[in-house]
Amino acid sequence: MPIYEYVCKDCQKEFESLRSMSQADAHIACVACGGDNTRRKPSVCYSESSGKALADSSSSSCGSCSGGNCSGCGH
Ligand SMILES: [Zn+2]
């Protein structure tokens, strides 16, 4: 299950939440102020064919990507 990053527009708090992909854009309350003026941050992972060899997907989870090529974290 991937971790998504969210940011609160009210207090600028950035936090992460472990959610299923289907819930990635679902509403989430700010962990700091409890407000609902939050939005999901764009993933830092991009799917690209860099030619980099990948280990099996079960060990390549880097938090913000769910496997596959990830130029943001080196996975
Ligand atoms: Zn907040």
Side-chain angles (χ1 to χ4, degrees):
M1 190 176 293
I3 293 176
Y4 295 99
E5 292 183 74
Y6 301 84
V7 59
C8 175
K9 289 184 176 181
D10 289 338
C11 66
Q12 310 306 314
K13 171 71 175 181
E14 296 183 10
F15 57 100
E16 298 175 338
S17 182
L18 199 64
R19 316 184 91 183
S20 65
M21 294 180 73
S22 61
Q23 292 179 303
D25 291 314
H27 170 75
I28 186 168
C30 174
V31 297
C33 69
D36 57 7
N37 195 14
T38 56
R39 67 183 295 263
R40 185 167 66 92
K41 296 176 66 178
S43 173
V44 297
C45 295
Y46 302 95
S47 293
E48 60 181 40
S49 50
S50 63
K52 185 181 297 181
L54 293 171
D56 65 273
S57 59
S58 64
S59 64
S60 65
S61 175
C62 65
S64 52
C65 69
S66 57
N69 290 327
C70 176
S71 60
C73 66
H75 283 117

